[in-house]
Amino acid sequence: RWDVMQLCNGVLCGLVAVTPGCGVIDPWAGMLVAVFGAALFLGCDALMLKMQLDDVVAAVPMHLCCGILGTLFVGLFAREEYIKDFYGVSPEAGRRWGAFFGGDGKLLAAQIVALLVTMLWVCLFFAPYFWVMRRFDLIRVPMEQELAGLDASKYGVITTNELPMMPKPRQKVYV
């Protein structure tokens, strides 16, 4: 059965995954990383649900998981001519293009180091923030507001997801 929300998430995941390498990989590799990104999203989203981690808009599986995949793909699929055109790399810099295209692995190593440094930076800066937020109980809304729906409790608006289900008519109505 088709699910429009999952379709939209799959497209977004493909875009997130292809972004790190869009200037240095071939179009077919872009399609490959987009398809892998969408599949990875489904797996990571299911894992987060199984672990009971609250991510209403699926931002973590979309941006973290697909972003990591896309960043690693650069180290594997970047083309020599695109790297030279895009960055102007001189021959004495070494073979710094994708490992699958004759690169010496330095680009892949640089991508891995960049991922680790980024994760460390995020953890160092946001762990204290979330610790303070949790310490003063500022992360979650009261249970009554959560059950009523945040749109209704905060703004007085009922969204389509919060509307009561209408019974299906027995007869077709033509207007």
Side-chain angles (χ1 to χ4, degrees), residues 2-172:
W2 282 92
D3 184 354
V4 174
M5 185 63 78
Q6 290 291 44
L7 177 69
C8 292
N9 282 339
V11 169
L12 287 171
C13 290
L15 292 170
V16 168
V18 79
T19 298
C22 63
V24 296
I25 62 174
D26 286 323
W28 66 265
M31 292 295 292
L32 188 66
V33 72
V35 169
F36 283 174
L40 179 66
F41 167 78
L42 293 173
C44 291
D45 193 39
L47 179 65
M48 286 192 60
L49 289 173
K50 186 174 184 177
M51 294 172 58
Q52 296 181 346
L53 294 173
D54 189 16
D55 186 0
V56 178
V57 294
V60 170
M62 185 175 299
H63 292 92
L64 177 67
C65 299
C66 296
I68 288 172
L69 176 72
T71 302
L72 293 175
F73 252 71
V74 172
L76 298 172
F77 288 93
R79 289 286 216 171
E80 176 183 3
E81 58 269 17
Y82 298 151
I83 293 285
K84 287 180 180 178
D85 288 346
F86 202 75
Y87 295 106
V89 177
S90 62
E92 57 271 1
R95 300 168 55 89
R96 298 204 175 137
W97 46 84
F100 291 165
F101 294 102
D104 58 10
K106 289 182 181 176
L107 179 60
L108 181 60
Q111 298 300 101
I112 292 170
V113 169
L115 285 171
L116 294 174
V117 168
T118 303
M119 286 185 218
L120 178 65
W121 182 86
V122 168
C123 289
L124 286 176
F125 280 95
F126 282 100
Y129 168 78
F130 281 111
W131 181 83
V132 169
M133 295 291 285
R134 187 169 183 184
R135 175 81 171 91
F136 293 105
D137 200 27
L138 298 171
I139 290 182
R140 298 201 64 102
V141 297
M143 186 56 72
E144 300 82 34
Q145 286 183 348
E146 192 169 332
L147 291 174
L150 290 180
D151 291 327
S153 65
K154 290 245 183 226
Y155 308 111
V157 177
I158 297 176
T159 64
T160 55
N161 293 336
E162 297 163 345
L163 291 174
M165 296 299 289
M166 299 296 291
K168 293 186 179 183
R170 295 179 187 191
Q171 201 172 15
K172 291 185 179 180

